Amino acid sequence: MQHFASDNYAGICPEALQALLAANTGHAPAYGDDEWTRRVSDRLRELFATECDVYFVFNGTAANSLSLASLCQSYHSVICHELAHVATDECGGPEFFSNGSKLLPATGEGGKLTPEAVYEVITRRNDIHYPKPRVVTLTQATELGTLYQPPEIAAIADLARQHGLRVHMDGARFANAVAALGVAPADITWRAGVDVLCFGGTKMGLPVGEAVVFFDRRLSEDFAWRCKQAGQLASKMRFLSAPWLGVLEGEAWLNHARHANAMAQRLAGGLASIPAAQLLFPVEANGVFAILPTAVQDGLRARGWRFYTFIGAGGARFMCAWDTTPESVDALISDLRELTS
Ligand SMILES: *Cc1c(COP(=O)(O)O)cnc(C)c1O
């Protein structure tokens, strides 16, 4: 049975698995000094059409925490959406690894920051007693399954730049965003003003790992030491990097993300036909949020379905993954229909 609790419930996609197995031949230099890591870093530079510094870490919490720490001094602050993963689901990691940089949450419809909300936080205080805003972090796709359009990113990044702030992007679902927007990866990152991207591999179909991509290469100074100290430097790095090669060498990463997005659309379509279910946010990537009566939630769980209700603004969250089948979506809809009729 497939589940909709999270896209990280899915296994490893075939392209990543094949690349992982192919890397398992003989001996290779450790700690990233291997040909797979070199090749995938070059491939990422090609994909983003710019020179950038690339690092691989085990998970998104580390990618976000360590990259934010590299942008901040301990007396700085990071403006984020109040529902941002960095604020709600990283156990204080960004604050810990930055030695105390404070997260300053702001509100915004659909999980998205606006220039107005960011401006309010930047200009709220400028005295010595308040942590100095240094970074704006955007999540793309957002925690609520919505997307920032390229001009929305550019507007926030322009404002940030005018006030001397850096722009960080949590791209745990960056692939879903690129696939849905149909843009070049550069158009929603460095060309729009993003300085550093945490490009999610895990939810995209890799066994493990995220890539931290520094578009402003000055910001990555000593980042390798930061990773090592945090226990995020893989000694057999090739097994973290090779799966990326498998999905990035062709279009597999985009095809899988497109599929996951399409399954979310299918699910949203089904939900729209069920009067007792109420969609909460526009379905723009691979996540669907809906308000369901408690009895229906219990009924779904009793039938074995797993989904989260503690994320975002409440409601039941259903995530689609690279391997979610139309049959699974239809089976979920069919159970929902029975439980609500
Ligand atoms: C899943 C996720 C992460 C990464 O979480 P880890 O469990 O630490 O890998 C980061 N940001 C967002 C928005 C996520 O959904």
Side-chain angles (χ1 to χ4, degrees), residues 81-297:
H81 192 276
E82 60 184 343
L83 298 176
H85 197 272
V86 291
T88 62
D89 291 289
E90 300 192 352
C91 199
E95 296 92 326
F96 177 76
F97 283 106
S98 61
N99 293 313
S101 303
K102 192 174 171 69
L103 297 180
L104 299 178
T107 53
E109 290 278 296
K112 288 159 65 172
L113 288 173
T114 60
E116 295 70 30
V118 172
Y119 183 76
E120 189 279 318
V121 181
I122 293 177
T123 56
R124 189 181 288 165
R125 296 266 295 267
N126 60 10
D127 59 87
I128 197 103
H129 306 284
Y130 202 65
K132 189 180 181 191
R134 181 62 175 163
V135 180
V136 180
T137 176
L138 306 173
T139 308
Q140 179 78 317
T142 73
E143 286 78 2
L144 300 185
T146 56
L147 294 171
Y148 286 95
Q149 296 296 319
E152 293 178 316
I153 299 169
I156 291 171
D158 285 349
L159 175 73
R161 192 115 321 164
Q162 281 163 30
H163 291 85
L165 277 73
R166 297 295 193 164
V167 182
H168 168 271
M169 182 172 276
D170 175 349
R173 301 191 177 91
F174 185 72
N176 301 94
V178 173
L181 290 167
V183 294
D187 290 343
I188 53 171
T189 55
W190 64 271
R191 275 193 203 121
V194 173
D195 295 302
V196 51
L197 166 72
C198 297
F199 187 165
T202 310
K203 286 170 183 155
M204 185 168 75
L206 306 194
V208 62
E210 323 278 295
V212 182
V213 183
F214 287 91
F215 299 110
D216 183 340
R217 302 176 75 179
R218 288 166 302 179
L219 297 172
S220 69
E221 193 189 350
D222 292 348
F223 194 71
W225 278 268
R226 214 179 266 288
C227 289
K228 173 67 187 182
Q229 186 182 49
Q232 288 287 327
L233 176 64
S235 71
K236 290 189 181 177
M237 182 74 84
R238 62 176 146 151
F239 300 114
L240 215 50
S241 57
W244 282 89
L245 211 51
V247 296
L248 291 181
E249 273 193 330
E251 290 270 288
W253 70 289
L254 275 180
N255 292 334
H256 287 318
R258 246 180 239 122
H259 170 81
N261 294 348
M263 290 302 101
Q265 288 301 330
R266 187 182 184 102
L267 179 53
L271 277 168
S273 71
I274 298 173
Q278 187 195 334
L279 277 177
L280 271 170
F281 310 108
V283 177
E284 297 175 342
N286 63 325
V288 180
F289 287 76
I291 296 179
L292 300 175
T294 310
V296 174
Q297 291 182 23

